[in-house]
């Protein structure tokens, strides 16, 4: 029952953007916004108010621009409690772990050995269903999702369980 906001630059064209928008329309708590996430996310998060806990997933911009956007948003909005950045594994984007350290956050990337070991069944299923696509041959454990959270948030969560 958590609201989800997604931004899409529509870089793959309007047909793909509108297809996504139509596919997600049945979920009343998801709002799809067309535009640059570097501009839209600060506006949309700011409109939520500082009391609402926010989880942030960035799939664009890519590479260092994603790291810079996440860092900027976390510093600007203290209510961001979880961040995830897509395409940071397998050496595709350096700097995610350094960003976490700079922010005083904990986290991991899904291409780390311990995670791959625990999630290998998912990888196997995806590879089998995809017919071993070129992308999966290049990144056999997926493109990597970097996930992070502030130390204080993790402590609070652990103490309440």
């Amino acid at each position: 029952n958590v609201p989800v906001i997604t931004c899409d630059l529509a870089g793959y064209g309007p047909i793909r953007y509108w297809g996504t928008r139509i596919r997600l329309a049945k979920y009343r708590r998801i709002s799809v916004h067309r535009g640059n996430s570097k501009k839209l996310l600060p506006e949309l998060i700011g409109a939520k108010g500082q009391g609402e806990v926010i989880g942030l997933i960035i799939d664009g911009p890519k590479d260092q621009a994603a790291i810079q956007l996440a860092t900027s948003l976390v510093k600007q909005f203290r209510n961001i409690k979880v961040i995830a950045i897509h395409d940071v594994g397998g050496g595709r984007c350096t700097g995610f772990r350094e960003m976490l350290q700079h922010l005083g956050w904990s986290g991991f990337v899904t291409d780390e050995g311990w995670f791959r070991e625990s999630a290998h069944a998912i990888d196997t299923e995806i590879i089998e269903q995809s017919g071993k696509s070129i992308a999966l041959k290049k990144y056999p454990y997926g493109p990597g999702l970097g996930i992070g959270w502030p130390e204080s948030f993790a402590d609070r969560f652990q103490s309440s369980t």
Side-chain angles (χ1 to χ4, degrees):
N1 204 15
V2 175
V4 175
I5 298 169
T6 181
C7 303
D8 191 330
L9 193 54
Y12 292 108
I15 293 173
R16 195 168 193 182
Y17 166 78
W18 283 105
T20 299
R21 193 173 177 111
I22 290 167
R23 193 172 58 255
L24 296 175
K26 64 184 173 185
Y27 303 104
R28 294 183 303 148
R29 304 285 291 170
I30 297 177
S31 59
V32 181
H33 302 266
R34 185 174 185 176
N36 188 328
S37 61
K38 289 190 277 188
K39 181 178 183 293
L40 287 175
L41 285 175
E43 294 172 5
L44 294 167
I45 294 170
K48 289 289 177 191
Q50 290 294 322
E52 191 166 340
V53 173
I54 294 183
L56 179 64
I57 301 171
I58 298 175
D59 191 22
K62 299 290 187 191
D63 303 322
Q64 292 305 309
I67 302 288
Q68 292 167 354
L69 177 60
T71 302
S72 170
L73 291 171
V74 165
K75 287 182 176 180
Q76 186 177 355
F77 300 103
R78 297 273 184 205
N79 54 329
I80 295 175
K81 301 301 182 189
V82 176
I83 56 171
I85 302 177
H86 193 236
D87 298 330
V88 298
R92 291 184 71 175
C93 174
T94 59
F96 181 78
R97 290 172 183 87
E98 292 82 358
M99 176 196 70
L100 292 177
Q101 185 175 20
H102 172 76
L103 294 171
W105 283 35
S106 296
F108 67 96
V109 178
T110 59
D111 69 351
E112 294 176 15
W114 68 268
F115 185 84
R116 286 195 329 252
E117 183 62 32
S118 64
H120 73 279
I122 297 170
D123 293 331
T124 303
E125 185 175 329
I126 291 170
I127 290 169
E128 287 172 1
Q129 288 182 9
S130 70
K132 300 187 186 236
S133 71
I134 293 170
L136 284 170
K137 287 179 184 173
K138 188 174 181 182
Y139 303 105
Y141 302 110
L145 182 67
I147 303 168
W149 55 89
E151 295 283 347
S152 59
F153 186 69
D155 292 344
R156 190 177 78 195
F157 177 74
Q158 289 172 346
S159 66
S160 67
T161 57

